Amino acid sequence: MVLKVISRLEEEHLLPLLQRKACYLMLPERWQDDYFKRLGSLSVPCDLQVISVLPKARYNDYYIQKLKELFPGSLAIEQEQAWEEQREESVTVFPFPSRALVAKTALCLEDSFETRWIGRCFSQGQKVIMLQSGMEPFSGKEPKAYRTKIEQYIRTLTDFGIELSDQLPAPQPRREPAAKPSAESSANKRVITEADLAFGLTEGRLVLHQGDLITMLAREKAAEMGIQIVRE
């Protein structure tokens, strides 16, 4: 299998790109019409090579071609092939994390390709990013306890070191050895939930400091309450 991958890279003149850090883009089986457009809005840093990882049902010429048009110089591989291709220097991005993925990851359930991959990333010290903009929005009809539980799961993801962001990571200079974030710096990052809106307000404003995150539910509630969100 590895030799087949190398042969394909040589044919497409992509072998030199192996020197770049890999960005594994984990794409879902359930596909929405606007996903390609939303993927096209992502800015890919020059030090990353996108490797789109597709479930078997989506691994066909149509999806492969569309993804290569969106990300020139990228690769598209099937999920099972990704296990053998995974590079040591890599970051994994879930552009459209489902609620089920959030819950299973928070509960440490490794019963799917995605959750097993995340567990492997944890064991190898590799970064995992979930894009907040791609998370399923609440309809507003869910029980409050359900919405609160999902927010607790999201907070757990940040405790695990999963980064919640709206973009791919910025280019990073190579440093040897890589410094691990201190416990103090991790502790300074806040995840603002709906329950937190009663605290930390200054004249009707919520001030977010560098590294702070605000959940979707909290953002919606802030809009309802007329709270202005300001990021320093």
Side-chain angles (χ1 to χ4, degrees), residues 63-88:
Y63 283 89
I64 292 172
Q65 184 60 36
K66 290 286 288 186
L67 290 165
K68 287 186 177 182
E69 290 173 1
L70 288 174
F71 307 111
S74 68
L75 293 175
I77 59 179
E78 194 178 341
Q79 286 179 344
E80 291 307 312
Q81 185 182 342
W83 290 117
E84 300 183 35
E85 204 281 341
Q86 190 176 21
R87 304 180 198 170
E88 292 182 6

Side-chain angles (χ1 to χ4, degrees), residues 137-213:
F138 289 111
S139 67
K141 298 179 181 180
E142 299 91 349
K144 184 175 180 180
Y146 173 82
R147 291 159 65 105
T148 301
K149 179 61 71 175
I150 295 298
E151 291 218 326
Q152 290 174 354
Y153 289 152
I154 291 173
R155 187 188 292 271
T156 299
L157 298 186
T158 63
D159 292 340
F160 288 169
I162 293 178
E163 182 179 327
L164 302 181
S165 179
D166 284 328
Q167 273 296 343
L168 302 184
Q172 297 293 325
R174 290 183 176 272
R175 288 178 292 183
E176 299 246 0
K180 293 184 178 181
S182 65
E184 182 180 355
S185 63
S186 298
N188 289 335
K189 293 184 179 181
R190 299 181 302 163
V191 179
I192 310 300
T193 64
E194 182 185 17
D196 298 321
L197 292 179
F199 308 96
L201 298 181
T202 303
E203 299 179 353
R205 299 194 312 164
L206 174 63
V207 179
L208 300 181
H209 304 288
Q210 185 176 1
D212 286 352
L213 300 168

Side-chain angles (χ1 to χ4, degrees), residues 25-228:
L25 205 61
M26 295 293 173
L27 300 175
E29 186 165 347
R30 296 178 61 184
W31 198 264
Q32 295 184 16
D33 293 339
D34 65 341
Y35 276 2
F36 283 126
K37 181 178 179 181
R38 291 160 69 178
L39 288 172
S41 68
L42 295 178
S43 177
V44 181
C46 60
D47 63 336
L48 293 180
Q49 181 195 11
V50 172
I51 301 178
S52 300
V53 181
L54 291 158
K56 187 174 183 179
R58 301 292 171 188
Y59 189 69
N60 56 52
D61 291 342
Y62 172 75
Y63 283 89
I64 292 172
Q65 184 60 36
K66 290 286 288 186
L67 290 165
K68 287 186 177 182
E69 290 173 1
L70 288 174
F71 307 111
S74 68
L75 293 175
I77 59 179
E78 194 178 341
Q79 286 179 344
E80 291 307 312
Q81 185 182 342
W83 290 117
E84 300 183 35
E85 204 281 341
Q86 190 176 21
R87 304 180 198 170
E88 292 182 6
E89 286 288 320
S90 68
V91 58
T92 294
V93 177
F94 290 86
F96 310 111
S98 67
R99 221 169 281 160
L101 177 62
V102 170
K104 289 182 178 183
T105 303
L107 294 170
C108 303
L109 298 177
E110 297 188 16
D111 62 351
S112 67
F113 169 82
E114 290 88 351
T115 52
R116 290 195 300 273
W117 183 277
I118 291 173
R120 181 168 169 176
C121 289
F122 285 167
S123 66
Q124 296 181 353
Q126 296 172 343
K127 178 182 283 190
V128 176
I129 298 173
M130 292 188 182
L131 299 189
Q132 275 191 305
S133 58
M135 289 185 174
E136 298 176 61
F138 289 111
S139 67
K141 298 179 181 180
E142 299 91 349
K144 184 175 180 180
Y146 173 82
R147 291 159 65 105
T148 301
K149 179 61 71 175
I150 295 298
E151 291 218 326
Q152 290 174 354
Y153 289 152
I154 291 173
R155 187 188 292 271
T156 299
L157 298 186
T158 63
D159 292 340
F160 288 169
I162 293 178
E163 182 179 327
L164 302 181
S165 179
D166 284 328
Q167 273 296 343
L168 302 184
Q172 297 293 325
R174 290 183 176 272
R175 288 178 292 183
E176 299 246 0
K180 293 184 178 181
S182 65
E184 182 180 355
S185 63
S186 298
N188 289 335
K189 293 184 179 181
R190 299 181 302 163
V191 179
I192 310 300
T193 64
E194 182 185 17
D196 298 321
L197 292 179
F199 308 96
L201 298 181
T202 303
E203 299 179 353
R205 299 194 312 164
L206 174 63
V207 179
L208 300 181
H209 304 288
Q210 185 176 1
D212 286 352
L213 300 168
I214 182 168
T215 63
M216 294 180 292
L217 183 56
R219 192 180 294 276
E220 293 172 5
K221 190 67 175 179
E224 292 175 8
M225 297 171 64
I227 297 172
Q228 182 184 6

